[in-house]
Amino acid sequence: MRKNRLFAVVVMIVVFLIGSFFIEKKETAKQKLPTVGVLQFVSHPALDQIYKGIQTGLKENGYKDGENMQIVFQNGQADQSKLATMSQQLIQEKKSDVLIGIATPAAQALANTTSEIPIILGAITDPVSAGLVADDQKPGGNITGVSDKSPVDAQFDLAMEILPKSKKVGILYASSEENSKYQVEEAKKVAEEKGLAVKTFAVPSSNEIAQTVQVMTSEVDFIYIPTDNTIANAMQTVVSEANKTKTPIIPSVDTMVEQGGLATVGINQFELGVQTGKMAADVLSGKAKPETTPIYTFKTGDIIINQKQAEKLGISIPENIKSNATIIE
Ligand code: TRP
């Protein structure tokens, strides 16, 4: 009788130990899922597309969210202090194995927080002038990724074909955005080479956009917009103000044409994300190291035309351009 009792107790202890061993093992396995921490600067259609592309790029390269990898996503809502706190969280709390920064201010916030954990750049206009890498070909540190440098020359060629009477262009951007400064300089140079007078309009914040566009419409023949997050986020305001005087807008990406720009030669935003996701997967698997992986740039863009907007503005787009373009009706 006593012996039996003892036996039962021993059995119970053994069962308990075995059980707890398995539970523990399961838990450590769960904790061990490699973590990709994504920090997006703000929500606007282009960056949202890029994030979708990143998820696809990771999946296409063997990493399924929740299966053999986990994505932790944060959106900084264009707030510098949020970006800093979220970077800390992704690194210290979430223990990300690879970080992805979508847009320049997000990538900069991550870079300020770690110089060890690999950071993949998601659509950064110019990684060098943003202080993120030493050299596009040989990044050197813990950072590599994708640049969305616009085909500015092709964009102004298209603008001049569609709007041949233009004499003066106004460039609209936010003075807070490092990434825009780089592209504005380039756009200025290219536009002048093509015989246009150029005036730049830098807004201190999104509060001044409507009023600035009103001034622009009385001074310039068309408005050019670089890949500026502040402007992309307020595209509706820009379009509704410009439409009042039928001033055409040539933005630098497809999503801004969809939002009411007239036309552009743009890099597909989703594809930018897919490439970013692929590079993150390669670093996660150990196939590539940031320091020796060149920044990826897209060589060409696609022509995209907003037909409805063209009609609104009374502009007829030449057939030879239309036949090579994606038309938004
Ligand atoms: N290139 C921008 C940056 O470095 C981010 C960006 C990507 C963007 N696609 C865009 C901004 C489209 C405006 C519109 O911050």
Side-chain angles (χ1 to χ4, degrees):
M1 194 61 183
R2 238 188 146 154
K3 237 185 180 173
N4 271 354
R5 239 214 208 132
L6 191 67
F7 182 70
V9 169
V10 168
V11 166
M12 265 156 72
I13 290 171
V14 168
V15 166
F16 174 77
L17 284 178
I18 292 175
S20 63
F21 174 76
F22 276 113
I23 287 169
E24 205 172 283
K25 214 171 162 195
K26 215 173 152 193
E27 262 175 12
T28 46
K30 222 189 209 163
Q31 274 164 7
K32 273 215 185 99
L33 267 192
T35 301
V36 177
V38 182
L39 184 61
Q40 180 172 323
F41 174 46
V42 68
S43 279
H44 61 67
L47 300 191
D48 296 345
Q49 281 290 315
I50 291 167
Y51 178 49
K52 279 206 186 116
I54 287 171
Q55 291 167 294
T56 302
L58 281 164
K59 209 191 275 168
E60 282 175 1
N61 290 278
Y63 286 102
K64 280 220 176 108
D65 189 14
E67 267 177 41
N68 58 349
M69 170 273 298
Q70 95 188 86
I71 297 178
V72 181
F73 176 80
Q74 303 265 36
N75 187 325
Q77 295 161 343
D79 180 329
Q80 287 299 337
S81 71
K82 275 195 187 135
L83 289 171
T85 329
M86 288 171 174
S87 298
Q88 296 271 358
Q89 272 172 6
L90 289 174
I91 291 160
Q92 273 148 24
E93 248 172 65
K94 305 293 176 187
K95 310 243 179 286
S96 300
D97 298 283
V98 170
L99 296 156
I100 299 178
I102 307 178
T104 300
Q108 286 172 328
L110 291 172
N112 285 338
T113 317
T114 180
S115 49
E116 271 151 38
I117 301 168
I119 300 174
I120 309 299
L121 306 175
I124 305 305
T125 306
D126 185 46
V128 172
S129 69
L132 291 162
V133 301
D135 184 291
D136 278 353
Q137 289 309 308
K138 293 190 192 97
N142 61 324
I143 305 176
T144 188
V146 177
S147 164
D148 63 328
K149 222 167 261 181
S150 271
V152 174
D153 200 75
Q155 289 168 351
F156 276 94
D157 279 341
L158 179 73
M160 295 312 282
E161 273 182 82
I162 299 178
L163 310 163
K165 292 198 192 104
S166 301
K167 302 235 159 5
K168 188 170 178 183
V169 57
I171 304 178
L172 176 65
Y173 70 106
S175 51
S176 61
E177 287 196 38
E178 211 82 53
N179 39 292
S180 298
K181 280 177 206 156
Y182 172 87
Q183 202 186 327
V184 168
E185 280 314 306
E186 201 192 348
K188 228 161 122 181
K189 209 182 84 202
V190 168
E192 278 165 4
E193 273 167 18
K194 300 194 190 295
L196 287 163
V198 181
K199 185 164 176 187
T200 56
F201 295 81
V203 292
S205 78
S206 49
N207 296 334
E208 292 81 11
I209 290 175
Q211 202 206 336
T212 305
V213 175
Q214 280 167 23
V215 176
M216 292 180 91
T217 56
S218 67
E219 287 188 25
V220 304
D221 299 310
F222 72 92
I223 296 171
Y224 176 80
I225 306 175
T227 52
D228 185 290
N229 298 290
T230 309
I231 308 296
N233 194 26
M235 194 59 189
Q236 248 125 23
T237 309
V238 179
V239 172
S240 77
E241 287 303 329
N243 276 351
K244 288 180 187 163
T245 55
K246 297 196 172 174
T247 305
I249 300 168
I250 303 292
S252 42
V253 291
D254 48 4
T255 48
M256 285 165 123
V257 174
E258 282 159 17
Q259 288 175 284
L262 175 61
T264 196
V265 184
I267 301 166
N268 185 290
Q269 300 297 298
F270 181 77
E271 291 303 330
L272 282 168
V274 173
Q275 177 61 24
T276 306
K278 177 184 187 307
M279 290 176 89
D282 287 349
V283 168
L284 203 54
S285 69
K287 213 158 105 188
K289 282 208 171 70
E291 54 189 283
T292 48
T293 306
I295 299 290
Y296 189 98
T297 49
F298 285 74
K299 297 281 171 286
T300 54
D302 309 313
I303 302 176
I304 173 158
I305 293 164
N306 188 327
Q307 183 59 29
K308 221 168 111 195
Q309 192 61 23
E311 279 158 23
K312 227 185 236 173
L313 301 172
I315 292 164
S316 69
I317 311 270
E319 278 308 320
N320 64 318
I321 296 178
K322 269 192 180 169
S323 60
N324 290 319
T326 304
I327 314 277
I328 302 165
E329 294 293 346

PDB file of all heavy atoms in Angstrom, residues 52 78 161 181 209 220-221 243 266 268 270 282 324:
ATOM      1  N   LYS A  52       3.879  46.685 -48.261  1.00  0.00           N
ATOM      2  CA  LYS A  52       3.264  45.473 -48.828  1.00  0.00           C
ATOM      3  C   LYS A  52       4.289  44.677 -49.624  1.00  0.00           C
ATOM      4  O   LYS A  52       4.375  43.453 -49.533  1.00  0.00           O
ATOM      5  CB  LYS A  52       2.108  45.864 -49.757  1.00  0.00           C
ATOM      6  CG  LYS A  52       0.833  46.172 -49.036  1.00  0.00           C
ATOM      7  CD  LYS A  52      -0.360  45.902 -49.962  1.00  0.00           C
ATOM      8  CE  LYS A  52      -1.638  46.364 -49.287  1.00  0.00           C
ATOM      9  NZ  LYS A  52      -2.285  47.468 -50.005  1.00  0.00           N
ATOM     10  N   ALA A  78       5.254  60.391 -38.721  1.00  0.00           N
ATOM     11  CA  ALA A  78       6.002  61.619 -39.020  1.00  0.00           C
ATOM     12  C   ALA A  78       6.448  62.370 -37.767  1.00  0.00           C
ATOM     13  O   ALA A  78       6.662  63.569 -37.797  1.00  0.00           O
ATOM     14  CB  ALA A  78       5.194  62.543 -39.933  1.00  0.00           C
ATOM     15  N   GLU A 161       7.320  67.188 -73.219  1.00  0.00           N
ATOM     16  CA  GLU A 161       6.547  66.652 -74.353  1.00  0.00           C
ATOM     17  C   GLU A 161       5.055  66.898 -74.161  1.00  0.00           C
ATOM     18  O   GLU A 161       4.333  67.203 -75.108  1.00  0.00           O
ATOM     19  CB  GLU A 161       6.799  65.144 -74.499  1.00  0.00           C
ATOM     20  CG  GLU A 161       8.004  64.817 -75.353  1.00  0.00           C
ATOM     21  CD  GLU A 161       8.173  63.317 -75.500  1.00  0.00           C
ATOM     22  OE1 GLU A 161       7.486  62.730 -76.370  1.00  0.00           O
ATOM     23  OE2 GLU A 161       8.949  62.735 -74.716  1.00  0.00           O
ATOM     24  N   LYS A 181      15.890  67.492 -50.477  1.00  0.00           N
ATOM     25  CA  LYS A 181      16.941  68.461 -50.838  1.00  0.00           C
ATOM     26  C   LYS A 181      17.815  67.915 -51.951  1.00  0.00           C
ATOM     27  O   LYS A 181      18.133  68.608 -52.910  1.00  0.00           O
ATOM     28  CB  LYS A 181      17.794  68.797 -49.608  1.00  0.00           C
ATOM     29  CG  LYS A 181      17.107  69.817 -48.711  1.00  0.00           C
ATOM     30  CD  LYS A 181      17.896  70.097 -47.457  1.00  0.00           C
ATOM     31  CE  LYS A 181      16.955  70.552 -46.356  1.00  0.00           C
ATOM     32  NZ  LYS A 181      17.473  70.315 -45.022  1.00  0.00           N
ATOM     33  N   ILE A 209       1.045  74.115 -46.871  1.00  0.00           N
ATOM     34  CA  ILE A 209       1.000  73.590 -48.239  1.00  0.00           C
ATOM     35  C   ILE A 209      -0.052  74.296 -49.093  1.00  0.00           C
ATOM     36  O   ILE A 209       0.233  74.762 -50.200  1.00  0.00           O
ATOM     37  CB  ILE A 209       0.789  72.058 -48.232  1.00  0.00           C
ATOM     38  CG1 ILE A 209       2.063  71.377 -47.700  1.00  0.00           C
ATOM     39  CG2 ILE A 209       0.464  71.541 -49.629  1.00  0.00           C
ATOM     40  CD1 ILE A 209       1.961  69.881 -47.528  1.00  0.00           C
ATOM     41  N   VAL A 220       3.882  79.836 -61.774  1.00  0.00           N
ATOM     42  CA  VAL A 220       4.582  78.837 -62.604  1.00  0.00           C
ATOM     43  C   VAL A 220       3.630  78.132 -63.568  1.00  0.00           C
ATOM     44  O   VAL A 220       2.407  78.184 -63.411  1.00  0.00           O
ATOM     45  CB  VAL A 220       5.285  77.775 -61.720  1.00  0.00           C
ATOM     46  CG1 VAL A 220       6.239  78.438 -60.733  1.00  0.00           C
ATOM     47  CG2 VAL A 220       4.268  76.899 -60.990  1.00  0.00           C
ATOM     48  N   ASP A 221       4.208  77.482 -64.592  1.00  0.00           N
ATOM     49  CA  ASP A 221       3.391  76.772 -65.583  1.00  0.00           C
ATOM     50  C   ASP A 221       3.043  75.354 -65.144  1.00  0.00           C
ATOM     51  O   ASP A 221       2.004  74.821 -65.514  1.00  0.00           O
ATOM     52  CB  ASP A 221       4.127  76.726 -66.926  1.00  0.00           C
ATOM     53  CG  ASP A 221       4.376  78.127 -67.461  1.00  0.00           C
ATOM     54  OD1 ASP A 221       3.410  78.925 -67.506  1.00  0.00           O
ATOM     55  OD2 ASP A 221       5.536  78.441 -67.794  1.00  0.00           O
ATOM     56  N   ASN A 243      -5.826  72.438 -59.023  1.00  0.00           N
ATOM     57  CA  ASN A 243      -6.933  72.292 -59.971  1.00  0.00           C
ATOM     58  C   ASN A 243      -7.733  73.580 -60.133  1.00  0.00           C
ATOM     59  O   ASN A 243      -8.348  73.806 -61.168  1.00  0.00           O
ATOM     60  CB  ASN A 243      -7.867  71.154 -59.536  1.00  0.00           C
ATOM     61  CG  ASN A 243      -7.344  69.805 -60.008  1.00  0.00           C
ATOM     62  OD1 ASN A 243      -6.387  69.737 -60.781  1.00  0.00           O
ATOM     63  ND2 ASN A 243      -7.975  68.734 -59.545  1.00  0.00           N
ATOM     64  N   GLY A 266       7.918  56.823 -63.389  1.00  0.00           N
ATOM     65  CA  GLY A 266       8.153  56.490 -61.978  1.00  0.00           C
ATOM     66  C   GLY A 266       8.564  55.048 -61.756  1.00  0.00           C
ATOM     67  O   GLY A 266       8.295  54.166 -62.565  1.00  0.00           O
ATOM     68  N   ASN A 268       8.071  51.670 -59.773  1.00  0.00           N
ATOM     69  CA  ASN A 268       6.946  51.021 -59.116  1.00  0.00           C
ATOM     70  C   ASN A 268       7.227  50.855 -57.616  1.00  0.00           C
ATOM     71  O   ASN A 268       8.213  50.245 -57.213  1.00  0.00           O
ATOM     72  CB  ASN A 268       6.725  49.660 -59.784  1.00  0.00           C
ATOM     73  CG  ASN A 268       5.509  48.962 -59.253  1.00  0.00           C
ATOM     74  OD1 ASN A 268       5.484  48.515 -58.111  1.00  0.00           O
ATOM     75  ND2 ASN A 268       4.488  48.872 -60.085  1.00  0.00           N
ATOM     76  N   PHE A 270       5.632  49.226 -55.190  1.00  0.00           N
ATOM     77  CA  PHE A 270       5.531  47.859 -54.682  1.00  0.00           C
ATOM     78  C   PHE A 270       6.835  47.091 -54.958  1.00  0.00           C
ATOM     79  O   PHE A 270       7.360  46.404 -54.081  1.00  0.00           O
ATOM     80  CB  PHE A 270       4.329  47.164 -55.333  1.00  0.00           C
ATOM     81  CG  PHE A 270       4.107  45.762 -54.867  1.00  0.00           C
ATOM     82  CD1 PHE A 270       3.519  45.506 -53.636  1.00  0.00           C
ATOM     83  CD2 PHE A 270       4.494  44.687 -55.656  1.00  0.00           C
ATOM     84  CE1 PHE A 270       3.323  44.204 -53.204  1.00  0.00           C
ATOM     85  CE2 PHE A 270       4.299  43.388 -55.232  1.00  0.00           C
ATOM     86  CZ  PHE A 270       3.710  43.141 -54.001  1.00  0.00           C
ATOM     87  N   ASP A 282      18.035  37.913 -47.520  1.00  0.00           N
ATOM     88  CA  ASP A 282      19.418  37.477 -47.763  1.00  0.00           C
ATOM     89  C   ASP A 282      20.323  37.747 -46.557  1.00  0.00           C
ATOM     90  O   ASP A 282      21.230  36.974 -46.273  1.00  0.00           O
ATOM     91  CB  ASP A 282      20.000  38.181 -49.001  1.00  0.00           C
ATOM     92  CG  ASP A 282      19.409  37.632 -50.291  1.00  0.00           C
ATOM     93  OD1 ASP A 282      18.721  36.582 -50.229  1.00  0.00           O
ATOM     94  OD2 ASP A 282      19.622  38.247 -51.352  1.00  0.00           O
ATOM     95  N   ASN A 324       2.877  53.887 -74.867  1.00  0.00           N
ATOM     96  CA  ASN A 324       3.899  53.260 -74.004  1.00  0.00           C
ATOM     97  C   ASN A 324       3.594  53.393 -72.522  1.00  0.00           C
ATOM     98  O   ASN A 324       4.441  53.096 -71.690  1.00  0.00           O
ATOM     99  CB  ASN A 324       5.255  53.925 -74.249  1.00  0.00           C
ATOM    100  CG  ASN A 324       5.807  53.591 -75.591  1.00  0.00           C
ATOM    101  OD1 ASN A 324       5.715  52.446 -76.044  1.00  0.00           O
ATOM    102  ND2 ASN A 324       6.364  54.582 -76.271  1.00  0.00           N
TER     103      ASN A 324
END
